[in-house]
Amino acid sequence: MTAHECPRGYRVRVARRLDDTWAAWFDGFTLRAADDGTTLVSGLVDQAQLHGLFAKLRDLGLEIVSVDATDGPTP
């Protein structure tokens, strides 16, 4: 398995509040609305899944505020 195939935890903050009705659309990711009106989209994914997430965010017209890699599974 190459480094690109190994799952890694990621947290992507978007500049919009997404409620639980979006959970199915972001299958495999956890959505958590923040008090500042943004949403954290997190999950343990490989690079292909991460790029798929970016495509979904682009298709929805959502601004990506930040992307953080984590050492393990995200809460």
Side-chain angles (χ1 to χ4, degrees), residues 2-55:
T2 68
H4 293 304
E5 295 170 336
C6 293
R8 183 169 184 180
Y10 289 94
R11 286 187 302 248
V12 179
R13 185 176 300 275
V14 296
R16 182 174 159 200
R17 185 175 293 249
L18 300 174
D19 60 28
D20 291 337
T21 60
W22 288 96
W25 215 75
F26 289 97
D27 185 38
F29 292 91
T30 301
L31 303 179
R32 188 173 66 207
D35 292 336
D36 62 0
T38 63
T39 300
L40 273 176
V41 182
S42 59
L44 185 62
V45 297
D46 61 25
Q47 287 291 300
Q49 291 167 309
L50 181 63
H51 284 274
L53 172 63
F54 291 153

